Amino acid sequence: MVNIVHGGTDDGPAILHDFSTNGHPLGPPPLAMDAVLKADRLRYPDPAYVALRETLGAWHDVDPSRVLPTAGGSEAIRRLSLAALLEGVSTVCVPQPGFGDYGAAAMALGLTVQGYSDAAGLIALLDPPSSSAQRALVWVCDPCNPTGASFTADEWQALQLALQASGSTLVVDQAYDPLRLTGRPTLPAALADQAWRLVCPNKALGLTGVRGAYLLAPRRETAWRERLLALASSWVLSSEGQAMLTAWTLPAVQSQLQESLQVLREWRDIQWRRLASLGMRQRPGSVANFWLARLPSTDHRTATDQLQRLRSMGIKLRDASSFGLPGWVRLSVQAPPSLEALVLALGPMLDQ
């Protein structure tokens, strides 16, 4: 059995300062929160989600038939993996380090998992003469969890050629794109139209407890689309999830989110400098609201002890061991009071 590790809530005491979650630290825009609280819990939502799909389709300028509601990103990953198996795909390409659910969903179905560390590595996997990974299901997280890295425009274009040559299916997980703090998305429009895209607004809205997301199907893809609809459970979205996704498209909600990103950029810069001043090693290159940092330890056991000590103080960091990076943690941007608590807690550890 694959043990999937996530950030956020755990079975311990209340977390006072949570650097392990990538949810928006400022919380939800008032209109989004209000929409969720006012969701009609007395009735089933429309099982076909016609109005929601029309709203999201109009917002993305795609036909509503291309919008497939899902019960969060993880459910979408599981359903897409099963659809790939039923469509004859045997290999899944996943980022390493990367979100563990991609590989776990594939392995649960007996699919072959092949990891890649960068765009060049992925393109090499798809090269027909050198690999059996032809016609693979390819996952790209943009920006990638846990590194926060993003492909360049040239890398996307090279990947597009490799996908065409191998006949593979691309899924771009855009869960963290709304919280991009550096640069702009580089996914070419032409490739975006040919790929599956996974959109998970609950992180950017600070509503990670509300499960709701959606897939945008490729323009000319119908077989997989019908397969995914057939694999969905009845009422895949709750009324709260439907309300959250509808609120996601409101101009006022989007405006507040964009305004908040400047606050996060300022907090990110302060957090980076403060941790660097303590001598912590931090991995550059993240464009997102999180990045990787090295704990002040010399071995994995010491790092585990340090994480447990921090957790006992109500401070949680995302242990990156499950990403194959023992001794590292993923840190998300948090408010200055939380940063101060972390700095005070780390001080004695760094002095040892």
Side-chain angles (χ1 to χ4, degrees):
M1 179 180 294
V2 179
N3 182 26
I4 302 299
V5 178
H6 299 106
T9 308
D10 56 27
D11 58 359
I15 303 172
L16 304 177
H17 308 286
D18 196 353
F19 291 84
S20 76
T21 177
N22 292 334
H24 202 308
L26 287 172
L31 280 177
M33 186 77 254
D34 189 54
V36 170
L37 293 176
K38 289 181 177 178
D40 185 357
R41 299 172 177 85
L42 301 180
R43 299 170 183 82
Y44 290 113
D46 169 16
Y49 300 100
V50 172
L52 173 64
R53 296 172 76 185
E54 289 177 348
T55 298
L56 291 171
W59 195 62
H60 284 282
D61 194 24
V62 302
D63 190 276
S65 64
R66 293 173 60 187
V67 180
L68 281 65
T70 70
S74 293
E75 192 269 331
I77 292 168
R78 295 279 174 168
R79 207 182 334 158
L80 260 173
S81 300
L82 179 53
L85 173 67
L86 295 174
E87 290 293 328
V89 173
S90 60
T91 301
V92 179
C93 300
V94 305
Q96 290 183 344
F99 186 40
D101 281 38
Y102 307 138
M107 286 186 284
L109 297 170
L111 298 170
T112 300
V113 177
Q114 296 192 337
Y116 65 89
S117 60
D118 54 23
L122 173 55
I123 292 168
L125 285 179
L126 297 175
D127 184 16
S130 65
S131 171
S132 61
Q134 298 181 49
R135 200 165 176 259
L137 179 66
V138 177
W139 289 97
V140 175
C141 189
D142 183 47
C144 189
N145 173 24
T147 63
S150 184
F151 287 178
T152 66
D154 288 343
E155 288 171 333
W156 281 120
Q157 290 174 359
L159 176 58
Q160 184 172 6
L161 294 176
L163 289 164
Q164 292 171 347
S166 66
S168 296
T169 298
L170 172 66
V171 189
V172 184
D173 184 346
Q174 298 180 309
Y176 306 105
D177 189 61
L179 290 170
R180 185 184 295 262
L181 301 182
T182 301
R184 298 178 63 84
T186 55
L187 178 65
L191 182 54
D193 224 27
Q194 299 168 14
W196 287 90
R197 287 183 285 157
L198 174 56
V199 185
C200 306
N202 60 350
K203 296 174 179 63
L205 293 178
L207 289 166
T208 53
V210 181
R211 307 307 299 161
Y214 56 96
L215 287 162
L216 295 174
R219 181 183 295 276
R220 293 182 174 84
E221 175 57 63
T222 55
W224 281 49
R225 192 187 313 177
E226 294 302 317
R227 179 82 74 179
L228 281 159
L229 286 171
L231 289 171
S233 60
S234 299
W235 297 288
V236 67
L237 275 178
S238 67
S239 296
E240 292 91 343
Q242 178 176 247
M244 178 188 69
L245 295 181
T246 301
W248 172 241
T249 67
L250 295 176
V253 169
Q254 287 296 317
S255 177
Q256 290 173 20
L257 173 59
Q258 291 305 311
E259 291 173 1
S260 74
L261 295 185
Q262 183 55 39
V263 176
L264 296 191
R265 291 185 187 99
E266 295 171 1
W267 287 0
R268 174 199 59 187
D269 295 344
I270 293 171
Q271 187 168 312
W272 183 282
R273 289 195 299 267
R274 291 295 302 278
L275 295 178
S277 70
L278 295 176
M280 281 193 73
R281 177 183 171 190
Q282 300 175 90
R283 184 178 290 187
S286 173
V287 302
N289 63 316
F290 54 84
W291 61 91
L292 290 167
R294 184 83 180 181
L295 283 171
S297 60
T298 57
D299 56 71
H300 184 220
R301 182 174 180 178
T302 303
T304 300
D305 290 342
Q306 290 173 340
L307 284 171
Q308 291 175 346
R309 286 170 59 187
L310 289 170
R311 183 65 186 87
S312 69
M313 302 177 203
I315 303 170
K316 186 177 180 184
L317 310 182
R318 173 65 163 89
D319 186 354
S321 297
S322 62
F323 293 118
L325 299 169
W328 289 80
V329 294
R330 188 194 66 202
L331 288 163
S332 62
V333 176
Q334 295 299 319
S338 291
L339 174 59
E340 290 304 317
L342 176 61
V343 169
L344 287 174
L346 282 174
M349 299 181 190
L350 290 163
D351 292 337
Q352 291 177 353

